[in-house]
């Protein structure tokens, strides 16, 4: 999750399925990739023969969400893929779907919707904590991340607004949102700066404890990044780009620190200073 060390690897075009890709998600093992599109008003599913390697991706199927929203901008799944959530830009809501087969959009059916209009009228991305008891919605109007508590995990009908965190100091056009596994790192894709912004949270999945840390510019690959995702250990980052109509893959290498200790020198907390990644 150290985006300062990110290196571009490859790009995969989704233009045959979608000319305005907005949302991006992967199955837990990375053998499936999903792209939400504003042109087709659908979620496109791709199979990856090697997990989290987009060069091995091939189109599988698509699921229309037009009956719920004609401008989907983001999507997320629960851990086993039996629930899918799509951000509706037109309806200003989060639409929930049940999947009878995990991570198979052909088995999806609409369940419920939760309005976020009271917090933001242009929601662009959605994310959850691990057990689904917290939901986060990125707002293009307010330039902020809105946090909600769910009394039943991954059930949007039980959501209630908790708090918000402004990202306007970094970008006034936030479009993508992602967290690391324990919620101590938050990442925002910004349309204005064509960058990914990293924040540290002193309490995992509590946006009130967030502070800006670092940024990484992606304009060499795409202008107008729309959403982002990581693999499980944060060694790969993926950006869906509206301008290039593609998904861009990056390797994220953890910074290595080397400290020379003289013979006989005692090693203490002040001898080795580790940067918080």
């Amino acid at each position: 999750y150290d985006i300062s060390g990110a290196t571009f690897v490859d790009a995969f075009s989704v233009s045959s399925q979608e000319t305005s890709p907005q949302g991006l998600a992967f199955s837990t093992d990375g053998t499936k990739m999903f792209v939400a599109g504003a042109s087709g008003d659908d979620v496109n599913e791709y199979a990856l023969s090697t997990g989290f390697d987009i060069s091995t991706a091939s189109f599988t199927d698509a699921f229309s969400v037009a009956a719920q929203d004609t401008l989907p901008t983001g999507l997320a799944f629960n851990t086993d893929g039996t629930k899918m959530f799509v951000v509706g830009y037109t309806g200003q809501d989060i639409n929930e779907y049940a999947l009878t087969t995990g991570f198979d959009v052909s088995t999806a059916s609409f369940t419920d919707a939760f309005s976020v209009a009271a917090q933001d009228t242009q929601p662009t991305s959605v994310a959850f904590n691990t057990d689904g008891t917290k939901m986060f919605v990125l707002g293009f109007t307010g330039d902020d991340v809105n946090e909600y508590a769910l009394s039943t995990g991954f059930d949007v009908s039980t959501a209630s607004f908790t708090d918000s965190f402004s990202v306007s100091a970094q970008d006034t056009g936030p479009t993508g949102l992602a967290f690391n596994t324990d919620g101590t790192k938050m990442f925002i894709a910004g349309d204005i700066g064509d960058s990914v912004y990293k924040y540290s949270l002193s309490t995992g999945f509590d946006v009130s404890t967030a502070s800006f840390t670092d940024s990484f510019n992606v304009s060499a690959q795409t202008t107008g990044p729309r959403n982002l995702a990581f693999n499980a250990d944060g060694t790969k980052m993926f950006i869906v780009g509206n301008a290039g109509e593609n998904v861009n893959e990056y390797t994220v290498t953890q910074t290595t620190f080397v400290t020379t200790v003289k013979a006989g020198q005692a090693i203490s907390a002040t001898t080795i200073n580790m940067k918080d990644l």
Side-chain angles (χ1 to χ4, degrees), residues 142-164:
D143 304 327
D144 55 7
V145 180
N146 296 287
E147 178 182 324
Y148 301 82
L150 283 71
S151 56
T152 302
F154 295 110
D155 182 350
V156 298
S157 70
T158 69
S160 58
F161 176 66
T162 304
D163 206 350
S164 65

Side-chain angles (χ1 to χ4, degrees), residues 3-277:
I3 60 173
S4 65
T7 305
F8 175 67
V9 176
D10 206 352
F12 176 79
S13 175
V14 297
S15 60
S16 295
Q17 289 77 48
E18 180 60 51
T19 57
S20 181
Q22 302 289 323
L24 177 66
F26 287 84
S27 61
T28 309
D29 62 2
T31 58
K32 287 194 174 186
M33 178 175 72
F34 305 88
V35 176
S39 294
D41 303 329
D42 54 8
V43 177
N44 298 281
E45 178 183 320
Y46 301 82
L48 284 71
S49 55
T50 301
F52 294 109
D53 181 351
I54 61 171
S55 69
T56 69
S58 58
F59 176 66
T60 305
D61 206 350
F63 174 77
S64 176
V65 296
Q68 285 75 52
D69 204 284
T70 54
L71 188 56
T73 53
L75 75 157
F77 290 84
N78 67 344
T79 308
D80 64 3
T82 56
K83 285 195 173 186
M84 178 174 72
F85 305 87
V86 177
V87 178
Y89 199 86
T90 302
Q92 303 166 7
D93 55 8
I94 308 299
N95 296 287
E96 179 183 322
Y97 301 83
L99 284 71
T100 54
T101 302
F103 296 112
D104 182 350
V105 297
S106 69
T107 69
S109 58
F110 176 67
T111 305
D112 207 348
F114 174 79
S115 175
V116 296
Q119 285 75 53
D120 205 284
T121 55
Q122 293 178 303
T124 55
S125 191
V126 61
F128 291 84
N129 66 343
T130 309
D131 64 4
T133 56
K134 285 193 173 186
M135 179 175 71
F136 304 87
V137 179
L138 187 62
F140 197 85
T141 302
D143 304 327
D144 55 7
V145 180
N146 296 287
E147 178 182 324
Y148 301 82
L150 283 71
S151 56
T152 302
F154 295 110
D155 182 350
V156 298
S157 70
T158 69
S160 58
F161 176 66
T162 304
D163 206 350
S164 65
F165 174 79
S166 175
V167 298
S168 61
Q170 285 72 55
D171 206 290
T172 54
T175 51
L177 172 66
F179 289 86
N180 69 341
T181 308
D182 65 3
T184 56
K185 308 293 179 187
M186 179 175 73
F187 302 86
I188 302 292
D191 180 68
I192 303 301
D194 296 327
S195 296
V196 176
Y197 305 93
K198 176 183 175 183
Y199 302 81
S200 292
L201 285 71
S202 55
T203 301
F205 295 111
D206 181 351
V207 298
S208 70
T209 69
S211 58
F212 174 65
T213 306
D214 206 352
S215 65
F216 175 76
N217 189 277
V218 298
S219 61
Q221 287 75 51
T222 189
T223 55
R226 286 296 181 262
N227 249 296
L228 73 162
F230 290 84
N231 65 343
D233 63 2
T235 56
K236 285 194 173 187
M237 177 174 70
F238 304 87
I239 306 289
V240 62
N242 188 49
E245 301 168 5
N246 55 16
V247 177
N248 298 283
E249 177 182 329
Y250 302 81
T251 56
V252 181
T253 306
Q254 188 174 28
T255 304
T256 301
F257 295 90
V258 178
T259 300
T260 302
V261 181
K262 296 179 180 179
Q265 179 183 0
I267 299 175
S268 67
T270 58
T271 305
I272 302 176
N273 297 313
M274 298 299 288
K275 179 182 176 182
D276 178 21
L277 298 180

